[in-house]
């Protein structure tokens, strides 16, 4: 099989089903994964549809995450903490990409995702775990937001139609290693 043929197998076969569905996973689905969902939703409307979930969702969006997203003019009306089982259901949207954004979720056994999406680990320190004054917590959330924005920007600018499966996987993994 030629390298260009592998590209068609990676995302070319899904080209007729744009937008690409992207799921961000975290343990609690209260901060990082929800921020990533909001960032991707605004960063690339029409090309990607963002979702988020957790292995053990808290059931609420962290107030500092909501505050930061509102301050940065993100639409937060649809954000909610949800279990990843919602997306493993046969009737759930088929994911093209699944990214873990916290270390504990990356180490857990994930459900089998319908559609065999491409996956990568983009670990970000948990701003919700920061203990300190209001300013220190705000800085932790802003830092997580900045790192997620940088990674998502790199992702949305990948030439998906021209990358082989192996090259795309290498790029996705490389994005997770950026600060």
């Amino acid at each position: 099989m030629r390298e260009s043929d592998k590209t068609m197998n990676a995302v070319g076969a899904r080209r007729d089903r744009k937008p690409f569905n992207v799921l961000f996973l975290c343990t609690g689905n209260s901060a990082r994964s929800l921020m990533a969902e909001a960032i991707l939703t605004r960063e690339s409307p029409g090309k990607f549809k963002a979702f988020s979930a957790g292995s053990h969702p808290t059931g609420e969006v962290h107030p500092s995450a909501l505050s930061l997203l509102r301050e940065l003019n993100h639409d937060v009306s649809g954000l909610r903490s949800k279990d990843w089982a919602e997306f493993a259901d046969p009737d759930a949207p088929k994911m093209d990409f699944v990214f873990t954004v916290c270390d504990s979720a990356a180490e857990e056994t994930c459900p089998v995702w319908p559609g065999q999406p491409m996956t990568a680990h983009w670990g970000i320190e948990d701003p919700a775990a920061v203990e300190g004054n209001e300013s220190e917590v705000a800085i932790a959330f802003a830092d997580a937001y900045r790192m997620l924005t940088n990674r998502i920007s790199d992702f949305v600018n990948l030439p998906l139609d021209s990358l082989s499966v192996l090259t795309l996987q290498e790029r996705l993994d490389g994005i997770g290693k950026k600060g």
Side-chain angles (χ1 to χ4, degrees):
M1 178 180 279
R2 295 179 329 186
E3 195 72 10
S4 61
D5 293 336
K6 291 182 203 171
T7 303
M8 289 302 292
N9 291 341
V11 291
R14 297 179 177 126
R15 201 173 299 151
D16 62 330
R17 193 173 59 80
K18 276 191 179 176
F20 295 108
N21 291 326
V22 180
L23 178 61
F24 294 98
L25 295 176
C26 204
T27 303
N29 189 226
S30 69
R32 292 164 289 183
S33 52
L34 286 162
M35 288 192 297
E37 178 182 354
I39 294 164
L40 182 58
T41 296
R42 185 168 76 184
E43 184 82 18
S44 191
K47 184 175 180 183
F48 296 100
K49 180 147 178 60
F51 302 90
S52 67
S55 57
H56 298 92
T58 63
E60 66 182 28
V61 180
H62 193 285
S64 294
L66 271 178
S67 176
L68 177 63
L69 291 170
R70 283 185 180 124
E71 180 182 317
L72 296 170
N73 298 313
H74 284 276
D75 178 7
V76 297
S77 61
L79 292 182
R80 65 182 177 84
S81 179
K82 52 208 157 298
D83 194 289
W84 65 10
E86 250 183 68
F87 298 97
D89 188 273
D91 295 329
K94 304 293 184 252
M95 294 300 143
D96 298 297
F97 300 94
V98 176
F99 302 124
T100 53
V101 294
C102 66
D103 292 332
S104 55
E107 295 166 1
E108 294 181 35
T109 302
C110 291
V112 174
W113 306 110
Q116 299 178 335
M118 298 200 73
T119 62
H121 176 62
W122 293 357
I124 304 276
E125 288 191 39
D126 186 3
V130 170
E131 294 181 16
N133 63 38
E134 189 177 318
S135 178
E136 291 167 325
V137 171
I139 289 169
F141 274 87
D143 196 38
Y145 180 90
R146 176 192 52 79
M147 287 189 288
L148 287 165
T149 299
N150 289 342
R151 291 174 184 186
I152 290 167
S153 179
D154 287 349
F155 171 62
V156 301
N157 288 299
L158 287 173
L160 296 178
D161 293 337
S162 64
L163 295 176
S164 70
V165 174
L166 292 175
T167 302
L168 179 55
Q169 187 64 61
E170 287 173 2
R171 296 275 189 90
L172 295 175
D173 292 339
I175 288 171
K177 293 178 174 108
K178 290 186 168 193

